[in-house]
Amino acid sequence: MSTFMLIPGAGCDAGYWRQIADELRGLGHEAVPVRLPSEDDAAGLREYADAVVEAIGDRRDVVVVAHSFGGFTAPLVCDRVPVERMVLISAMIPAPGEAPGDWWANTGHETSDDDDVFYNEFPPELRAEAEQYERGQSDTPMKLPWPLPAWPTVPTRFVLFRDDRFFPADFMRELVRERLGIEPVEMDGGHMAMMSRPAELARLLL
């Protein structure tokens, strides 16, 4: 049995992992959606990693799973505690010394505030549920350099969503190859496919 620590993206409550967590538990594993202090102006990336490490506690056979902005936090966790592997899901991939706020310009990708890029494949009732998980996001973690000198030595996988409008597939394929030196695993779905396609994504995580 593995324990999946589920790290959310920016400005989101961890509740949007609920369906994935249920799927993983139904398959005989433990799943822990981790709430980050995203609205706390005193919290930076180190404090985000602290929240995950505290949630892990003395658990073993840990798989760290991170979505979107969670990609900046997951490697910090894996550098501090023993884990089986790290899985990035349509996630930002940091470079040493790179502040999250600089990631967009450094990668040549433009940000968007249009909610349609997050929920492009959602029917109205699922979008309404997803919007309940939206939270404020402090700028504090965006300003400080990512503190690791190199990627942690832990097996890393990347799941790419082919229909993602926030991090488009062509852009992410190149970034994964450039920054991680691996080929992503691909599946259909938009940026929030953990809600629209939970069973398929849970199988990929296993």
mmCIF file of all heavy atoms in Angstrom, residues 4 6 39 43 49 63 77-78 87 90 96 108 111 128 138 144 146 160 171 178-179 189 202:
data_model
loop_
_atom_site.group_PDB
_atom_site.id
_atom_site.type_symbol
_atom_site.label_atom_id
_atom_site.label_comp_id
_atom_site.label_asym_id
_atom_site.label_seq_id
_atom_site.Cartn_x
_atom_site.Cartn_y
_atom_site.Cartn_z
ATOM 1 N N PHE A 4 -0.505 8.453 -0.947
ATOM 2 C CA PHE A 4 -0.408 9.528 -1.928
ATOM 3 C C PHE A 4 -0.694 10.858 -1.247
ATOM 4 O O PHE A 4 -1.803 11.095 -0.771
ATOM 5 C CB PHE A 4 -1.396 9.290 -3.075
ATOM 6 C CG PHE A 4 -1.049 8.113 -3.934
ATOM 7 C CD1 PHE A 4 -1.417 6.825 -3.561
ATOM 8 C CD2 PHE A 4 -0.344 8.279 -5.113
ATOM 9 C CE1 PHE A 4 -1.085 5.732 -4.348
ATOM 10 C CE2 PHE A 4 -0.007 7.196 -5.913
ATOM 11 C CZ PHE A 4 -0.383 5.924 -5.527
ATOM 12 N N LEU A 6 -1.360 14.599 -1.773
ATOM 13 C CA LEU A 6 -1.908 15.329 -2.914
ATOM 14 C C LEU A 6 -1.801 16.835 -2.664
ATOM 15 O O LEU A 6 -2.501 17.397 -1.814
ATOM 16 C CB LEU A 6 -3.360 14.920 -3.133
ATOM 17 C CG LEU A 6 -3.587 13.400 -3.276
ATOM 18 C CD1 LEU A 6 -5.077 13.080 -3.297
ATOM 19 C CD2 LEU A 6 -2.900 12.868 -4.527
ATOM 20 N N GLU A 39 -3.350 31.541 1.629
ATOM 21 C CA GLU A 39 -3.852 32.887 1.908
ATOM 22 C C GLU A 39 -3.024 33.632 2.954
ATOM 23 O O GLU A 39 -3.309 34.788 3.259
ATOM 24 C CB GLU A 39 -5.312 32.811 2.347
ATOM 25 C CG GLU A 39 -6.232 32.252 1.270
ATOM 26 C CD GLU A 39 -7.670 32.132 1.735
ATOM 27 O OE1 GLU A 39 -7.969 31.179 2.466
ATOM 28 O OE2 GLU A 39 -8.479 32.993 1.359
ATOM 29 N N ALA A 43 3.586 33.144 4.740
ATOM 30 C CA ALA A 43 4.014 31.808 4.300
ATOM 31 C C ALA A 43 4.617 31.855 2.897
ATOM 32 O O ALA A 43 4.008 32.378 1.968
ATOM 33 C CB ALA A 43 2.839 30.843 4.331
ATOM 34 N N ALA A 49 6.084 23.622 2.058
ATOM 35 C CA ALA A 49 6.705 22.299 2.219
ATOM 36 C C ALA A 49 6.534 21.798 3.649
ATOM 37 O O ALA A 49 6.308 20.601 3.870
ATOM 38 C CB ALA A 49 8.179 22.365 1.843
ATOM 39 N N VAL A 63 4.115 8.635 -1.931
ATOM 40 C CA VAL A 63 4.180 9.178 -3.290
ATOM 41 C C VAL A 63 3.683 10.620 -3.208
ATOM 42 O O VAL A 63 2.550 10.870 -2.774
ATOM 43 C CB VAL A 63 3.305 8.380 -4.274
ATOM 44 C CG1 VAL A 63 3.381 8.995 -5.672
ATOM 45 C CG2 VAL A 63 3.729 6.917 -4.302
ATOM 46 N N VAL A 77 9.675 19.011 -0.647
ATOM 47 C CA VAL A 77 9.262 17.927 0.244
ATOM 48 C C VAL A 77 10.141 16.699 0.019
ATOM 49 O O VAL A 77 10.637 16.081 0.968
ATOM 50 C CB VAL A 77 7.778 17.581 0.018
ATOM 51 C CG1 VAL A 77 7.365 16.372 0.858
ATOM 52 C CG2 VAL A 77 6.896 18.789 0.319
ATOM 53 N N CYS A 78 10.349 16.368 -1.242
ATOM 54 C CA CYS A 78 11.125 15.165 -1.576
ATOM 55 C C CYS A 78 12.595 15.301 -1.199
ATOM 56 O O CYS A 78 13.294 14.291 -1.057
ATOM 57 C CB CYS A 78 11.001 14.876 -3.075
ATOM 58 S SG CYS A 78 9.329 14.465 -3.605
ATOM 59 N N VAL A 87 5.183 12.634 -8.540
ATOM 60 C CA VAL A 87 4.399 12.723 -9.769
ATOM 61 C C VAL A 87 3.894 14.156 -9.908
ATOM 62 O O VAL A 87 3.171 14.650 -9.046
ATOM 63 C CB VAL A 87 3.207 11.744 -9.767
ATOM 64 C CG1 VAL A 87 2.483 11.816 -11.115
ATOM 65 C CG2 VAL A 87 3.669 10.321 -9.481
ATOM 66 N N SER A 90 0.355 18.218 -14.684
ATOM 67 C CA SER A 90 0.190 19.514 -15.317
ATOM 68 C C SER A 90 0.755 20.605 -14.416
ATOM 69 O O SER A 90 0.077 21.580 -14.075
ATOM 70 C CB SER A 90 -1.287 19.787 -15.626
ATOM 71 O OG SER A 90 -1.418 20.937 -16.449
ATOM 72 N N PRO A 96 16.617 25.819 -10.510
ATOM 73 C CA PRO A 96 17.298 26.335 -9.319
ATOM 74 C C PRO A 96 17.383 27.858 -9.335
ATOM 75 O O PRO A 96 17.760 28.476 -10.330
ATOM 76 C CB PRO A 96 18.685 25.690 -9.417
ATOM 77 C CG PRO A 96 18.446 24.406 -10.147
ATOM 78 C CD PRO A 96 17.395 24.736 -11.166
ATOM 79 N N GLY A 108 8.654 31.469 -21.299
ATOM 80 C CA GLY A 108 7.996 32.007 -22.492
ATOM 81 C C GLY A 108 6.513 31.742 -22.539
ATOM 82 O O GLY A 108 5.904 31.752 -23.613
ATOM 83 N N THR A 111 0.564 34.043 -18.704
ATOM 84 C CA THR A 111 -0.474 33.657 -17.757
ATOM 85 C C THR A 111 -1.840 34.114 -18.249
ATOM 86 O O THR A 111 -1.941 34.955 -19.132
ATOM 87 C CB THR A 111 -0.197 34.261 -16.364
ATOM 88 O OG1 THR A 111 -1.149 33.753 -15.434
ATOM 89 C CG2 THR A 111 -0.278 35.779 -16.408
ATOM 90 N N ALA A 128 -19.426 24.427 -11.054
ATOM 91 C CA ALA A 128 -19.916 25.042 -9.823
ATOM 92 C C ALA A 128 -19.260 24.412 -8.599
ATOM 93 O O ALA A 128 -18.903 25.112 -7.637
ATOM 94 C CB ALA A 128 -21.433 24.906 -9.744
ATOM 95 N N SER A 138 -1.722 34.343 -1.732
ATOM 96 C CA SER A 138 -0.749 35.370 -1.381
ATOM 97 C C SER A 138 0.358 35.448 -2.433
ATOM 98 O O SER A 138 0.742 34.446 -3.040
ATOM 99 C CB SER A 138 -0.134 35.050 -0.009
ATOM 100 O OG SER A 138 0.985 35.874 0.253
ATOM 101 N N LEU A 144 10.272 34.848 -3.858
ATOM 102 C CA LEU A 144 11.570 34.348 -3.420
ATOM 103 C C LEU A 144 12.086 33.237 -4.330
ATOM 104 O O LEU A 144 11.307 32.440 -4.854
ATOM 105 C CB LEU A 144 11.460 33.820 -1.994
ATOM 106 C CG LEU A 144 11.086 34.860 -0.934
ATOM 107 C CD1 LEU A 144 10.926 34.191 0.428
ATOM 108 C CD2 LEU A 144 12.140 35.955 -0.864
ATOM 109 N N TRP A 146 13.453 29.797 -5.803
ATOM 110 C CA TRP A 146 13.323 28.381 -5.430
ATOM 111 C C TRP A 146 14.644 27.944 -4.826
ATOM 112 O O TRP A 146 15.706 28.107 -5.450
ATOM 113 C CB TRP A 146 12.969 27.573 -6.669
ATOM 114 C CG TRP A 146 12.563 26.167 -6.407
ATOM 115 C CD1 TRP A 146 11.480 25.742 -5.725
ATOM 116 C CD2 TRP A 146 13.228 24.988 -6.866
ATOM 117 N NE1 TRP A 146 11.414 24.367 -5.717
ATOM 118 C CE2 TRP A 146 12.481 23.875 -6.416
ATOM 119 C CE3 TRP A 146 14.378 24.757 -7.625
ATOM 120 C CZ2 TRP A 146 12.854 22.565 -6.686
ATOM 121 C CZ3 TRP A 146 14.753 23.454 -7.899
ATOM 122 C CH2 TRP A 146 13.994 22.375 -7.427
ATOM 123 N N LEU A 160 0.749 14.763 -18.349
ATOM 124 C CA LEU A 160 0.356 15.891 -19.204
ATOM 125 C C LEU A 160 -1.080 15.697 -19.664
ATOM 126 O O LEU A 160 -1.470 14.602 -20.057
ATOM 127 C CB LEU A 160 1.310 15.965 -20.404
ATOM 128 C CG LEU A 160 1.129 17.045 -21.459
ATOM 129 C CD1 LEU A 160 2.485 17.383 -22.087
ATOM 130 C CD2 LEU A 160 0.166 16.592 -22.553
ATOM 131 N N PHE A 171 3.484 23.137 -25.274
ATOM 132 C CA PHE A 171 4.377 23.882 -24.383
ATOM 133 C C PHE A 171 4.931 22.979 -23.288
ATOM 134 O O PHE A 171 6.142 22.970 -23.005
ATOM 135 C CB PHE A 171 3.617 25.063 -23.778
ATOM 136 C CG PHE A 171 4.284 25.683 -22.587
ATOM 137 C CD1 PHE A 171 5.399 26.485 -22.736
ATOM 138 C CD2 PHE A 171 3.784 25.460 -21.301
ATOM 139 C CE1 PHE A 171 6.024 27.058 -21.623
ATOM 140 C CE2 PHE A 171 4.398 26.028 -20.193
ATOM 141 C CZ PHE A 171 5.518 26.827 -20.356
ATOM 142 N N GLU A 178 13.000 19.552 -21.463
ATOM 143 C CA GLU A 178 14.105 20.465 -21.193
ATOM 144 C C GLU A 178 14.515 20.456 -19.730
ATOM 145 O O GLU A 178 15.716 20.400 -19.418
ATOM 146 C CB GLU A 178 13.697 21.882 -21.603
ATOM 147 C CG GLU A 178 14.729 22.957 -21.257
ATOM 148 C CD GLU A 178 14.211 24.348 -21.527
ATOM 149 O OE1 GLU A 178 13.265 24.515 -22.324
ATOM 150 O OE2 GLU A 178 14.761 25.302 -20.928
ATOM 151 N N ARG A 179 13.542 20.501 -18.833
ATOM 152 C CA ARG A 179 13.873 20.680 -17.412
ATOM 153 C C ARG A 179 13.988 19.383 -16.627
ATOM 154 O O ARG A 179 14.672 19.344 -15.611
ATOM 155 C CB ARG A 179 12.860 21.615 -16.754
ATOM 156 C CG ARG A 179 12.943 23.041 -17.297
ATOM 157 C CD ARG A 179 12.347 24.059 -16.359
ATOM 158 N NE ARG A 179 12.698 25.413 -16.752
ATOM 159 C CZ ARG A 179 12.417 26.501 -16.051
ATOM 160 N NH1 ARG A 179 11.756 26.382 -14.905
ATOM 161 N NH2 ARG A 179 12.791 27.691 -16.465
ATOM 162 N N GLY A 189 -7.937 15.428 -21.264
ATOM 163 C CA GLY A 189 -8.454 16.198 -20.145
ATOM 164 C C GLY A 189 -7.874 17.590 -20.090
ATOM 165 O O GLY A 189 -6.804 17.862 -20.647
ATOM 166 N N ALA A 202 -6.382 8.261 -11.539
ATOM 167 C CA ALA A 202 -5.979 7.402 -10.432
ATOM 168 C C ALA A 202 -5.241 6.172 -10.935
ATOM 169 O O ALA A 202 -4.231 5.754 -10.362
ATOM 170 C CB ALA A 202 -7.190 7.002 -9.591
#
